[in-house]
Amino acid sequence: MSKDYINLSRAQDLKNPKERIIYRFFEALPVTLSLGTLGFVFLLSWLAPAVIAIFIIAFDLYWLLRISYLACHQIVSYKQMEKNLITDWTAKLNQLPARKWQDIYHLIILPMYKEGIEIVKPTAQSLVEADYPKDKMIVVLATEERAGEVAQKVAKEIKKEFASKFPHFLVTTHPQDIIGEVAGKGSNEAWAVKKTKEEIIDKLTIPYENIIVSGFDIDTRPEPQYFSCLTWHYLTAENPLRSSYQPVPVYNNNIWDAPAFSRVISSSGTFWQMMQQERQEQLVTYSAHSMPYKIFEELDYPRNIVADDSHIFWKAYFRYDGDYRVVPLHYPVSMDAVMAKNLFRTALNQYRQQRRWAWGCVEIPYLLYGFLKNKKIPLWNKIRHSLIVIEGFWSWATAALLIFFLGWLPLMLGGESFNITLLSYNLPKITSYIMTVAMIGMVISAIVSMLLLPPRPPDYSRWKNLSMVLQWLLLPVTLIIFGTFPALDAQIRLLAGKHLGFWVTEKVRKKSF
């Protein structure tokens, strides 16, 4: 059966009108569920306040159980990551039969746009400090033609300083305005790998199954043993050529300089990925990730979509009829928290970044349509993955409002007949008790965030440590402003057919406000 559907990115790609209507229905589903839920709560708070009051209590109890469950995963994941950081991965590699690891090459793609030398250089230096043999590392600095001469100047400086430290170092320039591409990280990576194949891989006749591709943001700094850890997991995986490999993104590069709300959002993203590492059945590739070069070539890396990091996983999942998974590494890579030249720009950039991540809702129609087309994937797997992905984006767009704001609606809209009931009297008390207990999740997050912090810079006093704890009081606000709103924004855009372009997050390393 043809698998042309794996290359879809939107309903307009379908020529059959009936198929296009089905896909459009799936594109409308995320925002229909999200806005439908919020509208349902408003309407019934007026018409049937007792029903909504019971629903809100039940939802808060569900969220309490979920927070407790996820907090346990967070603690276990942190312990595993801590263990992996002190493990001697080279020694573990040397224990493998026939020392096969010495045949494994790492192709590291560093797509950049207009970032300055102060961003790019530390990333290149982190690769120099890696404990993996440099002759088995292929480093590619992937620039964009549309970034102009400034970017090319930075690339030349990096090449001048670092090319001698890697036997295989390449600078590529992704042409602008290629028909059928979305200008962004995915299309740049695809171009960079294509040029690397022509200029290095095929000339060295390296077997494709001996190459692992790592796509990093330009601010990504892997820990020294990352590539050794990745190689060990690749060689010991149950099916290495049907797996991607996911580290934990920790936004520590500029964490001491970033404003409080940015630190909370970044840390929350780290904690979510840590939890997902413990739930492998739900783990999907995200941001910095690695995959076999052979799969990269067979699939043709996504060039026409913004959410390329998750899309490549689902594309592989369909291509191999469900025989594809993500192997958690429980090993960190350090990245930048959002920070711009002033507080307002930081907040604006944070919103845009969250909206870009929330644009991952495009995977819902892609997933549901693909499940209709692929008859070889077991039905239970289709149901499980569909519910997990749909619930994830639904919660993203609604949970914070339901928990922190809409719980008061029955009291405001229910009228006098409801407000004199015992349920009305107890509703705020019950929800308050539940949310107080649920704060255990926030406390655990605060503790883990302190454990993950790099050493405090000398120009900050010890009082800065206190602010790193108190910042978690901002969590309800950040969940709504930088969680619910950008998620709804992305889902409404998907419904309207206004597909989001790739927005490059501005990167600033030193605070100036």
Side-chain angles (χ1 to χ4, degrees), residues 183-204:
K185 179 185 172 185
S187 55
N188 192 0
E189 281 191 30
W191 178 266
V193 172
K194 174 186 175 183
K195 300 305 291 184
T196 306
K197 178 179 183 294
E198 296 172 357
E199 299 188 28
I200 297 177
I201 294 174
D202 286 351
K203 289 182 179 179
L204 294 176

PDB file of all heavy atoms in Angstrom, residues 183-204:
ATOM      1  N   ALA A 183      11.168  27.783   5.579  1.00  0.00           N
ATOM      2  CA  ALA A 183      12.478  28.242   6.050  1.00  0.00           C
ATOM      3  C   ALA A 183      12.569  28.044   7.555  1.00  0.00           C
ATOM      4  O   ALA A 183      11.756  28.557   8.321  1.00  0.00           O
ATOM      5  CB  ALA A 183      12.664  29.723   5.705  1.00  0.00           C
ATOM      6  N   GLY A 184      13.544  27.260   7.990  1.00  0.00           N
ATOM      7  CA  GLY A 184      13.672  26.989   9.408  1.00  0.00           C
ATOM      8  C   GLY A 184      14.675  25.891   9.692  1.00  0.00           C
ATOM      9  O   GLY A 184      15.436  25.474   8.817  1.00  0.00           O
ATOM     10  N   LYS A 185      14.651  25.413  10.910  1.00  0.00           N
ATOM     11  CA  LYS A 185      15.640  24.449  11.368  1.00  0.00           C
ATOM     12  C   LYS A 185      15.602  23.146  10.567  1.00  0.00           C
ATOM     13  O   LYS A 185      16.635  22.608  10.166  1.00  0.00           O
ATOM     14  CB  LYS A 185      15.410  24.157  12.854  1.00  0.00           C
ATOM     15  CG  LYS A 185      16.365  23.136  13.447  1.00  0.00           C
ATOM     16  CD  LYS A 185      15.993  22.824  14.890  1.00  0.00           C
ATOM     17  CE  LYS A 185      16.826  21.666  15.426  1.00  0.00           C
ATOM     18  NZ  LYS A 185      16.400  21.260  16.782  1.00  0.00           N
ATOM     19  N   GLY A 186      14.395  22.618  10.330  1.00  0.00           N
ATOM     20  CA  GLY A 186      14.266  21.326   9.659  1.00  0.00           C
ATOM     21  C   GLY A 186      14.840  21.341   8.254  1.00  0.00           C
ATOM     22  O   GLY A 186      15.613  20.453   7.864  1.00  0.00           O
ATOM     23  N   SER A 187      14.474  22.349   7.459  1.00  0.00           N
ATOM     24  CA  SER A 187      14.966  22.423   6.079  1.00  0.00           C
ATOM     25  C   SER A 187      16.471  22.670   6.049  1.00  0.00           C
ATOM     26  O   SER A 187      17.179  22.151   5.179  1.00  0.00           O
ATOM     27  CB  SER A 187      14.222  23.523   5.315  1.00  0.00           C
ATOM     28  OG  SER A 187      14.324  24.771   5.986  1.00  0.00           O
ATOM     29  N   ASN A 188      16.977  23.438   7.016  1.00  0.00           N
ATOM     30  CA  ASN A 188      18.416  23.686   7.097  1.00  0.00           C
ATOM     31  C   ASN A 188      19.169  22.398   7.431  1.00  0.00           C
ATOM     32  O   ASN A 188      20.202  22.091   6.826  1.00  0.00           O
ATOM     33  CB  ASN A 188      18.705  24.758   8.156  1.00  0.00           C
ATOM     34  CG  ASN A 188      20.137  25.271   8.089  1.00  0.00           C
ATOM     35  OD1 ASN A 188      20.936  24.859   7.266  1.00  0.00           O
ATOM     36  ND2 ASN A 188      20.457  26.181   8.991  1.00  0.00           N
ATOM     37  N   GLU A 189      18.649  21.634   8.377  1.00  0.00           N
ATOM     38  CA  GLU A 189      19.283  20.367   8.743  1.00  0.00           C
ATOM     39  C   GLU A 189      19.305  19.403   7.558  1.00  0.00           C
ATOM     40  O   GLU A 189      20.313  18.736   7.301  1.00  0.00           O
ATOM     41  CB  GLU A 189      18.549  19.719   9.914  1.00  0.00           C
ATOM     42  CG  GLU A 189      18.883  20.313  11.266  1.00  0.00           C
ATOM     43  CD  GLU A 189      18.335  19.479  12.400  1.00  0.00           C
ATOM     44  OE1 GLU A 189      18.223  18.244  12.250  1.00  0.00           O
ATOM     45  OE2 GLU A 189      18.014  20.058  13.449  1.00  0.00           O
ATOM     46  N   ALA A 190      18.183  19.314   6.852  1.00  0.00           N
ATOM     47  CA  ALA A 190      18.105  18.404   5.705  1.00  0.00           C
ATOM     48  C   ALA A 190      19.144  18.774   4.654  1.00  0.00           C
ATOM     49  O   ALA A 190      19.815  17.903   4.083  1.00  0.00           O
ATOM     50  CB  ALA A 190      16.697  18.432   5.112  1.00  0.00           C
ATOM     51  N   TRP A 191      19.296  20.076   4.392  1.00  0.00           N
ATOM     52  CA  TRP A 191      20.289  20.540   3.409  1.00  0.00           C
ATOM     53  C   TRP A 191      21.705  20.225   3.893  1.00  0.00           C
ATOM     54  O   TRP A 191      22.552  19.764   3.126  1.00  0.00           O
ATOM     55  CB  TRP A 191      20.126  22.036   3.173  1.00  0.00           C
ATOM     56  CG  TRP A 191      21.137  22.597   2.227  1.00  0.00           C
ATOM     57  CD1 TRP A 191      22.340  23.181   2.538  1.00  0.00           C
ATOM     58  CD2 TRP A 191      21.055  22.616   0.792  1.00  0.00           C
ATOM     59  NE1 TRP A 191      23.004  23.566   1.412  1.00  0.00           N
ATOM     60  CE2 TRP A 191      22.244  23.229   0.316  1.00  0.00           C
ATOM     61  CE3 TRP A 191      20.101  22.184  -0.128  1.00  0.00           C
ATOM     62  CZ2 TRP A 191      22.487  23.422  -1.044  1.00  0.00           C
ATOM     63  CZ3 TRP A 191      20.345  22.371  -1.483  1.00  0.00           C
ATOM     64  CH2 TRP A 191      21.521  22.982  -1.930  1.00  0.00           C
ATOM     65  N   ALA A 192      21.947  20.466   5.189  1.00  0.00           N
ATOM     66  CA  ALA A 192      23.287  20.237   5.743  1.00  0.00           C
ATOM     67  C   ALA A 192      23.685  18.774   5.642  1.00  0.00           C
ATOM     68  O   ALA A 192      24.831  18.445   5.296  1.00  0.00           O
ATOM     69  CB  ALA A 192      23.321  20.705   7.205  1.00  0.00           C
ATOM     70  N   VAL A 193      22.754  17.878   5.930  1.00  0.00           N
ATOM     71  CA  VAL A 193      23.061  16.448   5.858  1.00  0.00           C
ATOM     72  C   VAL A 193      23.302  16.036   4.403  1.00  0.00           C
ATOM     73  O   VAL A 193      24.193  15.229   4.106  1.00  0.00           O
ATOM     74  CB  VAL A 193      21.929  15.614   6.480  1.00  0.00           C
ATOM     75  CG1 VAL A 193      22.149  14.120   6.241  1.00  0.00           C
ATOM     76  CG2 VAL A 193      21.849  15.882   7.986  1.00  0.00           C
ATOM     77  N   LYS A 194      22.527  16.596   3.500  1.00  0.00           N
ATOM     78  CA  LYS A 194      22.717  16.290   2.073  1.00  0.00           C
ATOM     79  C   LYS A 194      24.134  16.677   1.612  1.00  0.00           C
ATOM     80  O   LYS A 194      24.821  15.891   0.942  1.00  0.00           O
ATOM     81  CB  LYS A 194      21.678  17.055   1.248  1.00  0.00           C
ATOM     82  CG  LYS A 194      21.865  16.922  -0.261  1.00  0.00           C
ATOM     83  CD  LYS A 194      20.886  17.827  -1.017  1.00  0.00           C
ATOM     84  CE  LYS A 194      21.163  17.789  -2.513  1.00  0.00           C
ATOM     85  NZ  LYS A 194      20.269  18.727  -3.270  1.00  0.00           N
ATOM     86  N   LYS A 195      24.580  17.875   1.987  1.00  0.00           N
ATOM     87  CA  LYS A 195      25.920  18.323   1.591  1.00  0.00           C
ATOM     88  C   LYS A 195      27.014  17.507   2.286  1.00  0.00           C
ATOM     89  O   LYS A 195      28.057  17.218   1.693  1.00  0.00           O
ATOM     90  CB  LYS A 195      26.090  19.811   1.927  1.00  0.00           C
ATOM     91  CG  LYS A 195      25.097  20.737   1.238  1.00  0.00           C
ATOM     92  CD  LYS A 195      25.090  20.584  -0.276  1.00  0.00           C
ATOM     93  CE  LYS A 195      26.350  21.095  -0.924  1.00  0.00           C
ATOM     94  NZ  LYS A 195      26.292  21.025  -2.400  1.00  0.00           N
ATOM     95  N   THR A 196      26.759  17.117   3.524  1.00  0.00           N
ATOM     96  CA  THR A 196      27.741  16.299   4.256  1.00  0.00           C
ATOM     97  C   THR A 196      27.882  14.927   3.604  1.00  0.00           C
ATOM     98  O   THR A 196      28.988  14.374   3.525  1.00  0.00           O
ATOM     99  CB  THR A 196      27.309  16.143   5.728  1.00  0.00           C
ATOM    100  OG1 THR A 196      27.082  17.436   6.290  1.00  0.00           O
ATOM    101  CG2 THR A 196      28.386  15.425   6.528  1.00  0.00           C
ATOM    102  N   LYS A 197      26.791  14.385   3.152  1.00  0.00           N
ATOM    103  CA  LYS A 197      26.819  13.094   2.449  1.00  0.00           C
ATOM    104  C   LYS A 197      27.710  13.187   1.214  1.00  0.00           C
ATOM    105  O   LYS A 197      28.546  12.308   0.954  1.00  0.00           O
ATOM    106  CB  LYS A 197      25.401  12.685   2.053  1.00  0.00           C
ATOM    107  CG  LYS A 197      25.302  11.378   1.272  1.00  0.00           C
ATOM    108  CD  LYS A 197      23.836  11.084   0.954  1.00  0.00           C
ATOM    109  CE  LYS A 197      23.689   9.741   0.237  1.00  0.00           C
ATOM    110  NZ  LYS A 197      24.291   9.735  -1.097  1.00  0.00           N
ATOM    111  N   GLU A 198      27.545  14.268   0.450  1.00  0.00           N
ATOM    112  CA  GLU A 198      28.316  14.436  -0.786  1.00  0.00           C
ATOM    113  C   GLU A 198      29.799  14.675  -0.514  1.00  0.00           C
ATOM    114  O   GLU A 198      30.662  14.127  -1.207  1.00  0.00           O
ATOM    115  CB  GLU A 198      27.744  15.622  -1.583  1.00  0.00           C
ATOM    116  CG  GLU A 198      26.316  15.414  -2.061  1.00  0.00           C
ATOM    117  CD  GLU A 198      25.726  16.687  -2.662  1.00  0.00           C
ATOM    118  OE1 GLU A 198      26.439  17.725  -2.643  1.00  0.00           O
ATOM    119  OE2 GLU A 198      24.574  16.656  -3.128  1.00  0.00           O
ATOM    120  N   GLU A 199      30.104  15.469   0.493  1.00  0.00           N
ATOM    121  CA  GLU A 199      31.478  15.939   0.682  1.00  0.00           C
ATOM    122  C   GLU A 199      32.290  15.121   1.683  1.00  0.00           C
ATOM    123  O   GLU A 199      33.527  15.157   1.644  1.00  0.00           O
ATOM    124  CB  GLU A 199      31.456  17.412   1.115  1.00  0.00           C
ATOM    125  CG  GLU A 199      30.818  18.327   0.078  1.00  0.00           C
ATOM    126  CD  GLU A 199      30.962  19.792   0.426  1.00  0.00           C
ATOM    127  OE1 GLU A 199      31.943  20.143   1.121  1.00  0.00           O
ATOM    128  OE2 GLU A 199      30.104  20.596   0.001  1.00  0.00           O
ATOM    129  N   ILE A 200      31.623  14.389   2.559  1.00  0.00           N
ATOM    130  CA  ILE A 200      32.372  13.651   3.573  1.00  0.00           C
ATOM    131  C   ILE A 200      31.982  12.177   3.636  1.00  0.00           C
ATOM    132  O   ILE A 200      32.821  11.287   3.448  1.00  0.00           O
ATOM    133  CB  ILE A 200      32.189  14.292   4.977  1.00  0.00           C
ATOM    134  CG1 ILE A 200      32.764  15.713   4.985  1.00  0.00           C
ATOM    135  CG2 ILE A 200      32.861  13.433   6.050  1.00  0.00           C
ATOM    136  CD1 ILE A 200      32.575  16.449   6.302  1.00  0.00           C
ATOM    137  N   ILE A 201      30.715  11.883   3.882  1.00  0.00           N
ATOM    138  CA  ILE A 201      30.282  10.512   4.178  1.00  0.00           C
ATOM    139  C   ILE A 201      30.584   9.560   3.023  1.00  0.00           C
ATOM    140  O   ILE A 201      31.204   8.506   3.214  1.00  0.00           O
ATOM    141  CB  ILE A 201      28.787  10.492   4.534  1.00  0.00           C
ATOM    142  CG1 ILE A 201      28.556  11.245   5.847  1.00  0.00           C
ATOM    143  CG2 ILE A 201      28.282   9.045   4.652  1.00  0.00           C
ATOM    144  CD1 ILE A 201      27.100  11.411   6.220  1.00  0.00           C
ATOM    145  N   ASP A 202      30.133   9.917   1.837  1.00  0.00           N
ATOM    146  CA  ASP A 202      30.331   9.012   0.691  1.00  0.00           C
ATOM    147  C   ASP A 202      31.802   8.923   0.280  1.00  0.00           C
ATOM    148  O   ASP A 202      32.266   7.874  -0.182  1.00  0.00           O
ATOM    149  CB  ASP A 202      29.475   9.464  -0.490  1.00  0.00           C
ATOM    150  CG  ASP A 202      27.995   9.147  -0.287  1.00  0.00           C
ATOM    151  OD1 ASP A 202      27.683   8.421   0.691  1.00  0.00           O
ATOM    152  OD2 ASP A 202      27.155   9.627  -1.070  1.00  0.00           O
ATOM    153  N   LYS A 203      32.536  10.010   0.469  1.00  0.00           N
ATOM    154  CA  LYS A 203      33.960   9.976   0.129  1.00  0.00           C
ATOM    155  C   LYS A 203      34.740   9.062   1.070  1.00  0.00           C
ATOM    156  O   LYS A 203      35.706   8.411   0.667  1.00  0.00           O
ATOM    157  CB  LYS A 203      34.542  11.386   0.157  1.00  0.00           C
ATOM    158  CG  LYS A 203      34.079  12.268  -0.994  1.00  0.00           C
ATOM    159  CD  LYS A 203      34.727  13.640  -0.937  1.00  0.00           C
ATOM    160  CE  LYS A 203      34.264  14.500  -2.120  1.00  0.00           C
ATOM    161  NZ  LYS A 203      34.871  15.854  -2.085  1.00  0.00           N
ATOM    162  N   LEU A 204      34.298   9.004   2.328  1.00  0.00           N
ATOM    163  CA  LEU A 204      34.957   8.127   3.302  1.00  0.00           C
ATOM    164  C   LEU A 204      34.367   6.717   3.286  1.00  0.00           C
ATOM    165  O   LEU A 204      34.869   5.835   3.994  1.00  0.00           O
ATOM    166  CB  LEU A 204      34.820   8.707   4.714  1.00  0.00           C
ATOM    167  CG  LEU A 204      35.538  10.040   4.970  1.00  0.00           C
ATOM    168  CD1 LEU A 204      35.237  10.533   6.383  1.00  0.00           C
ATOM    169  CD2 LEU A 204      37.045   9.902   4.771  1.00  0.00           C
TER     170      LEU A 204
END
